[in-house]
Amino acid sequence: MPQSLKRLKLHGFNNLTKSLSFNIYDVCYTDSPEQRAAYIAYIDEAYNAERLTGILTQVANIIGANVLNVARQDYDPQGASVTMLIAEEHPGGESICNSATPGPLPETVVAHLDKSHITVHTYPESHPHNGISTFRADIDVSTCGLISPLKALNYLIHSLESDIVIMDYRVRGFTRDVKGRKHFIDHNISSIQNYLSRDTKNNYQMIDVNVYQENLFHTKMVVNEFRLDDYLFCVDATELSDKEYQRIQRLVRREMMEIFYGRNLSREIERWTMPGRATPED
């Protein structure tokens, strides 16, 4: 477990780099070319460069950054990217808090940070052979100084509704106190989960893989409740036969588990559970 740290009195600038990589996945059943095209069009509209810029601007506010420059691009035929260069706003010290508690929600954004960057890239994807379309957004928030990007997690999760979330957090480098002693981390952390609100924890099952001695923290999440109706696009569930309903349910569930566990599952395996939950009877 990480050693408890008192408030540090530093010599000069805080040279620690705190990096959060935040990946979300959305899964949808799209059986026809028309359904796939409609899903991709929806994703391109919902996650276009303009909206993503707005989300990243709020992230900058939460971690206390001044936005210096924005580069954004919508791609043809699909996808978008936004990159922000950000700079510190010289916080008053007491206003910054890195305690292992959830950050603000979208309606309670606050502000202050350091020279660094925030980026987002989107990856819509589909294949005609399995009837599944997916969408992935990769967000990287890198800060240098007092505030941790973990304080933006609540806002990101609530702004980007997703089926699967995979997060990596790492503190790099070192900073020196007034006595010249090196410090390789400046805040207490035992799990990324400590920065998530109660409703998020209730909505997801989570797994941690942490390497405390290297200041590496990894958490992945998958939605608790599975309702096939939430994964049908341009398809009315009431029009499906029981056999077709069960087939699609197994297909979507397998896709989610393959993404969550990071490996392909056997085609013969038809019953998989969300972590910690029993599989409903098909």
Side-chain angles (χ1 to χ4, degrees):
M1 301 291 287
Q3 183 181 359
S4 178
L5 295 173
K6 297 179 180 179
R7 188 173 184 86
L8 298 177
K9 292 184 178 180
L10 300 180
H11 173 74
F13 184 73
N14 189 327
N15 287 315
L16 289 170
T17 298
K18 301 156 190 163
S19 299
L20 171 68
S21 293
F22 178 90
N23 311 110
I24 69 163
Y25 294 85
D26 181 82
V27 178
C28 190
Y29 178 75
T30 52
D31 191 37
S32 67
E34 292 76 19
Q35 291 172 10
R36 288 191 291 275
Y39 176 74
I40 294 299
Y42 159 75
I43 288 296
D44 271 356
E45 176 63 25
Y47 296 94
N48 60 39
E50 181 177 0
R51 178 174 181 245
L52 292 173
T53 299
I55 291 174
L56 296 196
T57 299
Q58 293 288 49
V59 169
N61 289 336
I62 291 170
I63 60 178
N66 282 322
V67 177
L68 299 180
N69 183 65
V70 178
R72 67 186 190 187
Q73 181 66 51
D74 287 303
Y75 298 108
D76 187 11
Q78 59 206 37
S81 295
V82 179
T83 300
M84 283 186 175
L85 182 64
I86 52 182
E88 187 176 88
E89 210 177 60
H90 301 296
E94 302 306 319
S95 61
I96 292 295
C97 176
N98 276 329
S99 61
T101 56
L105 297 174
E107 66 273 15
T108 57
V109 170
V110 293
H112 285 313
L113 158 128
D114 286 287
K115 300 147 244 330
S116 205
H117 65 272
I118 309 173
T119 65
V120 59
H121 305 284
T122 67
Y123 303 88
E125 180 268 349
S126 64
H127 196 281
H129 291 172
N130 64 5
I132 295 288
S133 291
T134 63
F135 166 73
R136 183 177 105 241
D138 293 352
I139 298 177
D140 291 285
V141 185
S142 184
T143 68
C144 302
L146 295 178
I147 196 66
S148 168
L150 289 170
K151 286 298 185 179
L153 267 183
N154 262 335
Y155 174 78
L156 287 170
I157 290 174
H158 282 77
S159 298
L160 304 167
E161 296 181 5
S162 53
D163 304 315
I164 299 163
V165 181
I166 298 176
M167 299 169 287
D168 294 286
Y169 179 65
R170 180 172 187 179
V171 180
R172 294 182 173 89
F174 64 88
T175 194
R176 293 184 187 271
D177 62 23
V178 291
K179 295 181 179 180
R181 177 180 172 82
K182 298 184 186 72
H183 292 269
F184 296 90
I185 192 167
D186 63 351
H187 64 291
N188 294 326
I189 176 173
S190 59
S191 171
I192 293 174
Q193 294 187 37
N194 295 335
Y195 291 82
L196 302 176
S197 59
R198 184 177 297 276
D199 64 329
T200 298
K201 294 179 180 179
N202 290 338
N203 290 336
Y204 289 87
Q205 291 289 324
M206 291 179 257
I207 293 177
D208 273 2
V209 181
N210 300 323
V211 185
Y212 299 113
Q213 62 270 30
E214 298 296 334
N215 295 325
L216 288 168
F217 305 88
H218 174 80
T219 298
K220 53 185 179 181
M221 316 181 345
V222 61
V223 288
N224 252 333
E225 301 297 332
F226 181 90
R227 294 177 63 257
L228 182 60
D229 296 41
D230 297 334
Y231 300 91
L232 299 176
F233 198 82
C234 298
V235 176
D236 189 342
T238 61
E239 298 177 358
L240 299 173
S241 66
D242 289 343
K243 183 178 180 180
E244 184 69 357
Y245 189 95
Q246 299 301 333
R247 184 191 72 82
I248 297 172
Q249 180 171 265
R250 289 192 297 268
L251 186 68
V252 174
R253 188 179 286 155
R254 181 196 294 124
E255 183 79 9
M256 292 175 66
M257 290 299 94
E258 287 184 341
I259 294 172
F260 184 77
Y261 289 113
R263 66 177 186 269
N264 292 308
L265 303 177
S266 169
R267 289 290 176 180
E268 286 71 38
I269 297 176
E270 293 187 346
R271 296 168 66 92
W272 282 85
T273 67
M274 298 301 177
R277 297 186 65 86
T279 305
E281 289 299 321
D282 287 343

